[in-house]
Each structure stands twice: as C-alpha cells, then as structure tokens.
C-alpha cells in the first residue's frame, strides 16, 4: 500500500465525465491503473481517485477554469482502490453538443516527467497543502498566485515551462 504505480510513456489514461464530474467512460489503462473495475467507476465522482496529498487549490483552479470554458493542464497525484498512487500530467477539456452547450469533460493523462514531479511539483504541493491545513484554501491560493507573479507566468505557462 501507498506504493507508486507507474505506466509507460506510450500509454494514455482517458476518461470522460458528465458536467458534474461523474465518470461516464474510462479506457482500459484508466481501469487497470486505478485498480477499480469499470462498473465500480462509472457514475462515481472523479474525486473517488483524489489523493489526500493533493492541495485543494489545484482542483479549485481546475474547476474554475473548466467552468469558464478553458482547457486545463495540471499535475495530479491520484489514489488507486488499493491505496497506492500514480502521478499524471492531465489535460482536461470541456466538450460541447451541437448547440454549443456544455455536454461533458474529456481528460487525457500522460506519464509526467519524474524529475519535474520530484523536484518541483511534490515540494510545491506539500507547501500548498501545509498552508491549506493552517490557513485554508485562500492561504494556498495566495502562495500559488505569488509564485506565478514572481515568475511572471500564468498557471498554464508555469505548467508548460516544467
């Protein structure tokens, strides 16, 4: 338990959710790495995979951006059914029906660069999580905004710069 599960560079984890974030589809790689059976995942909130090491501010930003119609890239640590974990570089995009109404969200996750996760993302997320425990999401949001301002980058530019 609490061991890292890895997947190969050429594998993609793909899922779809409805507008509320409930899983409507997962490819074989998603099913395999999550440790759940397909029927255990379908109609469950995607947050079933949320690892406690993930700062809430990352998901707050993700949902704010998605709801405003933006595509999102983020490093995410997910939890498997067995309590293990796996890191992904997630690309999430809103999908629209023929009338232009939001229909669902589509996510493709790749294997992230291990050195980026170890040297940058893990320390940053540990700091943000600590701030959240002591000062709430607003404290971690302040820190994330400050970091981005120091670098002169948007969140998306920061993710792409890694």
């Amino acid at each position: 338990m609490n061991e890292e599960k890895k997947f190969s560079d050429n594998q993609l984890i793909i899922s779809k959710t409805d507008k509320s974030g409930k899983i409507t589809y997962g490819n074989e790689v998603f099913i395999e790495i999550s440790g759940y059976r397909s029927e255990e995942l379908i109609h469950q909130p995607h947050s079933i995979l949320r690892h406690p090491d993930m700062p809430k501010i990352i998901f707050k930003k993700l949902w704010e951006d998605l709801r405003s119609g933006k595509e999102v890239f983020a490093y995410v640590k997910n939890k498997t059914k067995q309590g293990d974990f796996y890191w992904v570089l997630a690309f999430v995009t809103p999908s629209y029906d023929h009338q232009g109404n939001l229909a669902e969200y589509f996510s493709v996750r790749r294997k992230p660069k291990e050195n980026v996760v170890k040297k940058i993302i893990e320390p940053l997320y540990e700091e943000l999580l600590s701030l959240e425990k002591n000062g709430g999401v607003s404290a971690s949001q302040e820190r994330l905004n400050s970091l981005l301002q120091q670098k002169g980058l948007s969140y998306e530019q920061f993710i792409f710069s890694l």
Side-chain angles (χ1 to χ4, degrees), residues 68-91:
S68 70
K70 295 179 184 175
E71 297 176 331
V72 177
F73 287 86
Y75 285 87
V76 178
K77 185 177 185 179
N78 284 323
K79 180 179 68 171
T80 69
K81 181 179 179 180
Q82 297 76 19
D84 294 325
F85 67 93
Y86 58 101
W87 279 98
V88 297
L89 175 55
F91 168 65

Side-chain angles (χ1 to χ4, degrees), residues 6-138:
K6 298 198 179 197
F7 56 103
S8 70
D9 290 339
N10 62 353
Q11 289 181 301
L12 297 175
I13 298 173
I14 300 172
S15 64
K16 290 182 186 181
T17 69
D18 64 16
K19 294 184 282 188
S20 67
K22 289 187 178 170
I23 299 167
T24 59
Y25 169 79
N27 72 345
E28 287 182 32
V29 179
F30 178 57
I31 302 301
E32 180 184 325
I33 198 159
S34 75
Y36 289 92
R37 295 186 325 273
S38 178
E39 55 272 12
E40 292 178 297
L41 286 172
I42 301 301
H43 305 300
Q44 293 298 315
H46 212 286
S47 60
I48 192 173
L49 302 169
R50 186 173 294 169
H51 196 283
D53 290 349
M54 280 299 299
K56 290 179 182 157
I57 186 59
I58 301 302
F59 292 109
K60 180 178 186 276
K61 171 119 183 69
L62 182 142
W63 280 109
E64 285 173 355
D65 287 354
L66 284 173
R67 288 189 178 119
S68 70
K70 295 179 184 175
E71 297 176 331
V72 177
F73 287 86
Y75 285 87
V76 178
K77 185 177 185 179
N78 284 323
K79 180 179 68 171
T80 69
K81 181 179 179 180
Q82 297 76 19
D84 294 325
F85 67 93
Y86 58 101
W87 279 98
V88 297
L89 175 55
F91 168 65
V92 187
T93 186
S95 296
Y96 299 91
D97 64 20
H98 296 297
Q99 290 79 36
N101 300 312
L102 177 65
E104 62 186 356
Y105 297 105
F106 182 73
S107 178
V108 177
R109 285 149 344 257
R110 296 183 170 277
K111 180 180 174 182
K113 296 177 187 166
E114 198 168 326
N115 62 328
V116 169
V117 170
K118 296 285 182 216
K119 292 180 180 173
I120 299 167
I121 298 299
E122 283 183 339
L124 174 61
Y125 284 9
E126 286 172 15
E127 179 184 4
L128 294 175
L129 199 58
S130 175
L131 288 167
E132 284 178 10
K133 287 179 182 173
N134 297 316
V137 175
S138 60

Side-chain angles (χ1 to χ4, degrees), residues 137-154:
V137 175
S138 60
S140 64
Q141 186 166 16
E142 248 180 66
R143 174 62 182 123
L144 183 59
N145 290 344
S146 172
L147 172 72
L148 295 173
Q149 193 172 35
Q150 286 172 355
K151 294 184 175 293
L153 299 172
S154 70

